[in-house]
Amino acid sequence: MSRYYPILVDLEGKRVLVVGGGRVAQRKIETLLEHGAVVDVVATELNRPIASLAERGLIHYAGQDFSESNLDGIFLVVAATSDVSFNRHVSEKARQKGLLVNAVDQPSECNFIVPSILRRGDLVVAVSTSGKSPAFARKIREDLEAYFGEEYESFLTLMGRLRELVLCRGFSQEQNKVLFEKLIASSLLGSIRENDWERTASIITDVLGRPFSEEEIMTYARKGK
């Protein structure tokens, strides 16, 4: 049994410390920014892309030398240098403060690991080998990309809006469950994949028992894009 408990963490507005200034640290920083983190970086040297992020005020460069004070107010830490011993040192200090910490390619120095992620809008498919083979996790994720197309993003956006509409109607929890399961079991996903919005509207009309226009459904499915 894996010792890792799968969890998705909200990083919006959370302060994250990345120790390292090379390509690995760059990838981590870019992903953290995509998820709304406020990123501090400590590194003896920054590569050009990271330096550019600092110059533009998108991250905070906290200096060359790591110290425990860098951990003050931090929610999560990523140790991403090429020095295994130094990464271990950063991890030990972070764990002593009860922080979440990931030391890249050093599972024994982590209290969380990062899966290989496939994202289609609000759909997140995370694949992990519990640190045994990140390359194999990446291979599985790449295989899944062919199955989970872009239609899943529109489908989930639409389902989110329909959920709001259904919950506002005051039905019982069991009635809501039946309606949601009917929508999932229908050919809704396939009609979205084929861009057949007339059929999509017809399916939803049949399930929810009130008329929906093609234009209305298209608006729901593309909200936020």
Side-chain angles (χ1 to χ4, degrees):
M1 181 182 296
S2 172
R3 65 188 177 98
Y4 295 105
Y5 178 74
I7 189 170
L8 297 175
V9 179
D10 181 5
L11 290 182
E12 184 69 37
K14 301 289 196 308
R15 286 186 61 204
V16 175
L17 175 67
V18 176
V19 182
R23 283 186 296 176
V24 174
Q26 177 191 332
R27 290 198 301 270
K28 300 296 182 181
I29 291 167
E30 290 170 347
T31 301
L32 289 165
L33 290 175
E34 288 173 4
H35 290 83
V38 178
V39 180
D40 290 357
V41 178
V42 171
T44 54
E45 187 175 345
L46 302 178
N47 70 12
R48 188 59 234 165
I50 298 176
S52 176
L53 290 173
E55 291 164 2
R56 292 153 57 197
L58 299 177
I59 62 174
H60 171 239
Y61 179 48
Q64 295 183 331
D65 301 316
F66 169 78
S67 70
E68 287 189 56
S69 64
N70 293 124
L71 300 172
D72 294 342
I74 294 295
F75 176 74
L76 181 150
V77 178
V78 177
T81 76
S82 57
D83 186 329
V84 172
S85 296
F86 185 62
N87 286 345
R88 181 180 301 114
H89 169 70
V90 172
S91 175
E92 288 173 352
K93 295 301 180 183
R95 283 182 288 172
Q96 286 171 8
K97 288 182 172 287
L99 301 178
L100 292 169
V101 59
N102 175 263
V104 177
D105 291 334
Q106 296 173 234
S108 63
E109 304 303 329
C110 305
N111 56 20
F112 80 94
I113 56 176
V114 180
S116 186
I117 296 172
L118 166 64
R119 183 180 292 277
R120 295 288 186 260
D122 289 319
L123 175 65
V124 178
V125 180
V127 181
S128 173
T129 57
S130 299
K132 299 297 190 299
S133 178
F136 185 54
R138 185 169 59 251
K139 171 65 166 58
I140 294 174
R141 187 258 299 162
E142 290 170 350
D143 290 344
L144 290 173
E145 287 179 350
Y147 180 83
F148 293 100
E150 299 299 330
E151 69 275 9
Y152 280 81
E153 179 175 356
S154 296
F155 174 75
L156 274 182
T157 302
L158 176 59
M159 285 298 298
R161 180 57 179 145
L162 295 178
R163 180 180 177 82
E164 293 174 0
L165 294 176
V166 170
L167 293 179
C168 287
R169 294 168 70 175
F171 296 147
S172 69
Q173 186 175 10
E174 185 60 31
Q175 288 173 309
N176 290 337
K177 179 182 177 183
V178 170
L179 289 174
F180 296 142
E181 289 181 347
K182 283 184 177 179
L183 287 170
I184 297 300
S186 73
S187 57
L188 191 58
L189 183 61
S191 66
I192 293 173
R193 180 184 297 116
E194 295 166 6
N195 286 314
D196 189 342
W197 296 104
E198 182 179 0
R199 183 159 66 96
T200 300
S202 177
I203 292 168
I204 295 170
T205 295
D206 289 344
V207 173
L208 298 188
R210 81 137 169 105
F212 287 85
S213 69
E214 180 179 347
E215 293 74 19
E216 185 179 12
I217 293 305
M218 289 176 68
T219 299
Y220 290 164
R222 293 170 179 171
K223 184 180 178 182
K225 288 190 177 183

